[in-house]
Amino acid sequence: MSPQLDRIGLVFVVLLALAAVVVPVLALATPADSPFNIPPYLVQLLGKYLCYAILAVALDLVWGYCGILSLGHGAFFALGGYAMGMYLMRQIGTRGVYANPILPDFMVFLNWKALPVAWWGFDSFPYAMLMVALVPGLLALAFGWFAFRSRVTGVYLSIITQAMTFALFKEFFRNDFGFGGNNGLTDFKDLLGFPLQSSAAKAALFSASAIALILAYGAARLIIGSKYGKALTAVRDAESRMRFLGYRVENLKLFAFVVSAVMAGIAGALYVPQVGIINPSEFAPANSIEAAIWVAVGGRGTLVGAAIGAISVNFAKTWFTGAFPEFWLYGLGALFVLVTLFLPKGLLGLLLRPRRERAPTPETPALAIEEGADP
Amino acid sequence: MTLAESHNPTLTHSLLYLDGISVSFDGYKALRGLSLVLAPGEMRAIIGPNGAGKTTMMDVITGKTKPDEGEAMFDGRFDLTKLDEAEIAGLGIGRKFQKPTVFENHTVEDNLLLATKAPRGVFATLFGRDDKGVRRTIDRILATTRLGGLRARVAGSLSHGQKQWLEIGMLLAQDPKLLLVDEPVAGMTDAETAATAELLREIARDHSVVVVEHDMTFVRELGVKVTVLHEGAVLADGSLDQVSADPRVIEVYLGR
Amino acid sequence: MPHRARLLLIVRRGALALATSLLITLSGLMASGAARADALDDTLARFLADKFPESEQAIGELAAEAPPQAAAILEAMSENRLLFDPADRIVAYRNASGAVLNARTGETIADASGFRKVRVNNALRRAIEGATGSLTLAGSDPEKRIAAAEDVFKSRDAKAAPALKAQLARESDARAATALKLALAAIVAASDEASAADRLSAIETLRGRGDQDAENLIDAIDEKTADPEVKAAADSALASIRTRLMFWGAAQDLWYGLSASSVLLLAAIGLAITFGVMGVINMAHGEMVMLGAYATYVVQLLLPPSLQSWSLAFAIPLAFIVAALVGVAIERLVIRYLYSRPLETLLATWGVSLILQQAVRSLFGANNRQVTNPPFMSGSVHVGGLDITANRFWIIVLAIVVFVALQLVLRATSFGLQMRAVTQNRRMAAAMGISTAKIDMLAFALGSGVAGVAGVALSQIDNVSPNLGQGYIIDSFMVVVFGGVGNLWGTALGALMIGVANKILEPVIGAVQGQIVLLVVIILFIQRRPRGMFALKGRAVEA
Ligand SMILES: Nc1ncnc2c1ncn2[C@@H]1O[C@H](COP(=O)(O)OP(=O)(O)OP(=O)(O)O)[C@@H](O)[C@H]1O
Ligand SMILES: [Mg+2]
């Protein structure tokens, strides 16, 4: 990490911290007709962007610093979101359509008699928060353990992560999988006793998202700055060389992957109460790939860039889909093509003064599986 | 193990023991029954024409390639064919590649830091503090390899020869029991070559070393026992003068 | 209705039918029409009583005799339009236009004042329904007779038994006879009081049919009977049917798997070529398939009706050309500049796929489009217990043809030779004077074109929609992983394994779990054989 990049990071963190304070104040303490007032819907929208930014930072940690282009990070995000959604569902209690104190509406509708085991404990907030981290983390652990030990890298790994989220996508669609099927979880009422519709809750969630983004950035920055971070980058550039130096490459990757998945899960958990719904479409492969383009737009391997990329692309998306709904997909598609072709280092790459002694970007081998154990 | 030990004194007293190693790629036999024994503390030069199997031999020792048959033991105890690259490196076998491979995006210093002998686990590297001892080692190696002035340079911007030095420096930092050095002087000037020979002799005082090289001047300067590889097996060994007088060796190098 | 009464009825009707048929056979010289005419008079007379049992019997007789006017009479009766004049003893019915016709002669009756309605209750309506069904049993078209027998087989309506028996006695068509026997057997199976002999013969007949229905029916007999002989026969028949069903079930799964494999092969083989040559995954490959499908749709739109049955002859080349051109454009404009950055290629080509999907959506709308099969690709053939649809069959043929053609291109042309050279060692190939840029472009044209042809095939079994191709990229990639690059046999085997495995796993553990199992297997497989089943080996591949 260059000092220059760290300065940008610092500015970014300061701005976020400011926003965490100022936005709620403007939203709650100014009259609705004041030019400084931030309407609730905008607070919510900004909060959503911040959640995407956390996801982008998480993705950048593995893609930018470890060369793992995960096309399945949306799955971790969605799992965190589902864990939060399950807590929110159980908070509804008797206020649901069927007024069942234990069973969420969709279970009553499906004529279920008892709460499935997977739902146990989700009435407790601490337990739910544990699951927000644990479920994505464990999935990443299991998946990564398999994949990294098998030395699956490059495009192979990318496609397999995509297949993973695709499998979950289909699984969550099924009603009998027990998470609301096609409709997902929605109609939430309140979080920790605060009604989600209130402006105060929205402002609080925004601040929480900003703080979470600061923490995610900080944690990632600390990881990257450590010797472990250097080892991680070395794995990205010359994986087999690291093996011959005695590093257990699979463990190095696994740790980053799991940390990243947990971050993504937390982002999802903050996202769900702000948008008010979580359904299987969050697992759609397209979502995960979109997250990759946020990182690419901002500049991969920069952390701040990833966050900035997520916020700016989503801002553009909001504006575009409002103004020219038909053309958003053209725009997004073009963004994918143009950024990879003309802006390989992203927006931050434009900004950062190119250093003289710049190493050529390492060439990833065309066939990206490295010398595996060919029998 | 005990059985082999009691019956095979060569094995017990060797640091590296290769016996009847065969490797084939799609039917092409790169190694055919290669046997080689290296005593602790020994330095050995290996020569042989292109394609003789020198690099492949190092691949077998370091776990990159699994032999089809044959035995490869380290320190009389460890079966190298059953371990992977990281485990073998952990036993204390370091390797310099024929094509210099350094971490191009890291500084020279970080390259050495990553190579330094230290716990390599996730948490050890994550929470490890800056160690004065490590700094000193790195300073020393930078001095030895004459890279002191380049400490903060990105390795990708080094010249070919400098990368060779850096890789040797990384080997030193690793401080392994056995160093496998594949063509260390390719791309170096005569003076640099001489210096490298000097350095290797120095290293060999308290390490075991296997050097592969085509440069005969360099091999002569090393002044150690030479093994000639040809078509995947040992053709001859002895001092450089002995082997260069061997008619079979002459034929291999000059004939055809 | 009490069982005994029903049984009596059956017996009486049976006797009547028997008598009638005897009469027909005996009086060889006598015009059969006359014989029937007498019977019809007797039958119609029963309606004059206006009593439910009498009426029901009349219905049964109408069904068994099947005089030409029976259908009209029965229909009228079910709609309360059957009339009778107790004084003149005439039965008549009112037709749809309100005229009253003599049921016997069909003459119009001017003054219908003396007529009363024949009363109908629900039981009678049911009887009429059954009778109407069995009327067709006596029709002149054997196909219709078979269909009617099949109906009875499904409804198991005991009232149809006499008609069945009557028809069976005079049936000349062998297939129709079998269908009639089966229908009778089904009635016996559904009956609680059939004799052991009847049941035994029913079991025998059903065993011959040997499908799921037969299994259920024999099962029913097995439950109803206490006769050890019948039970034994049922058990043995059941065992044999179950083995047979299992066999055909497996064969059917295999067939579906084969069909899935053929589509997968068509989709994946192009990816194998481009991935092999350039080492990059074109995420828009699925959209080449989609374009091929839309090309088929456009051909169908534009062709005059007289040429519709030749649509595929136009669609296949068009799809190939369109997809190939788009593929070349992607290669020239995007992928070429990302060489040696495979991960970025993934993202860029994903962007291309978004653009292509949206473009098609703008042009053709977001809705599914239907492509009709040409005549030779519709319908299906039964082979034993197998149901082989023509479209799937021809797609397998197409896949084989494409495979062979590609093999020829790769093995027998200089382009193929150069392409294989680039696949194995790009740098060496370039050094030997092969223009790798040209090969890349041509390989992309070929790979994408074949994907377009896959789209033609897909349009024949699936709806055509803008996101048709999306699902194919993952599966195609898996095929390539299994098969390795640079060897089409590997691709074929990969497609076969994944297609069949998916279809065989699906019913056992569910589609999603099947997918997950496949995923795990593939990860493990990559570990064992990182370069596929028929790997190219050598340093060049690693570099
Ligand atoms: N992974 C591999 N796949 C196929 N062939 C290989 C592979 N590795 C080595 N070979 C072949 O094995 C033979 C021996 O190669 P090796 O690199 O060991 O020779 P060398 O003695 O190191 O030659 P040089 O002096 O040129 O470095 C060569 O013919 C080489 O092409
Ligand atoms: Mg070599």
Side-chain angles (χ1 to χ4, degrees), chain A residues 151 153 235 238-241 365 367-372, chain C residues 530-531:
Chain A
R151 302 196 180 177
T153 58
V235 167
E239 176 167 337
S240 75
R241 187 73 183 86
L367 279 173
I369 284 203
E370 286 192 54
E371 57 292 300
Chain C
R531 280 169 228 303

Side-chain angles (χ1 to χ4, degrees), chain C residues 65-110:
Chain C
E65 289 305 306
Q69 53 278 71
I73 296 173
L74 288 174
E75 191 191 340
M77 187 176 182
S78 74
E79 291 169 9
N80 277 328
R81 292 188 275 111
L82 190 65
L83 313 169
F84 71 102
D85 183 347
D88 293 344
R89 298 183 64 78
I90 300 174
V91 178
Y93 60 91
R94 197 185 298 278
N95 70 8
S97 51
V100 176
L101 307 177
N102 185 321
R104 179 70 184 81
T105 60
E107 289 157 3
T108 315
I109 297 167

Side-chain angles (χ1 to χ4, degrees), chain B residues 49-92:
Chain B
N50 292 118
K54 307 179 293 286
T55 303
T56 307
M57 178 192 81
M58 294 198 166
D59 288 348
V60 169
I61 298 171
T62 53
K64 182 180 171 191
T65 303
K66 297 282 167 224
D68 301 332
E69 48 188 282
E71 218 185 330
M73 303 293 287
F74 182 67
D75 224 359
R77 287 177 289 154
F78 303 107
D79 185 349
L80 296 176
T81 60
K82 296 214 161 47
L83 304 174
D84 70 12
E85 300 96 317
E87 284 163 334
I88 290 173
L91 290 179

Side-chain angles (χ1 to χ4, degrees), chain C residues 133-134 136-137 144-157 183:
Chain C
S134 62
T136 34
L137 280 173
K144 289 223 177 88
R145 293 205 294 273
I146 292 172
E150 281 286 329
D151 281 346
V152 178
F153 181 83
K154 284 188 197 112
S155 68
R156 277 146 228 189
D157 181 5

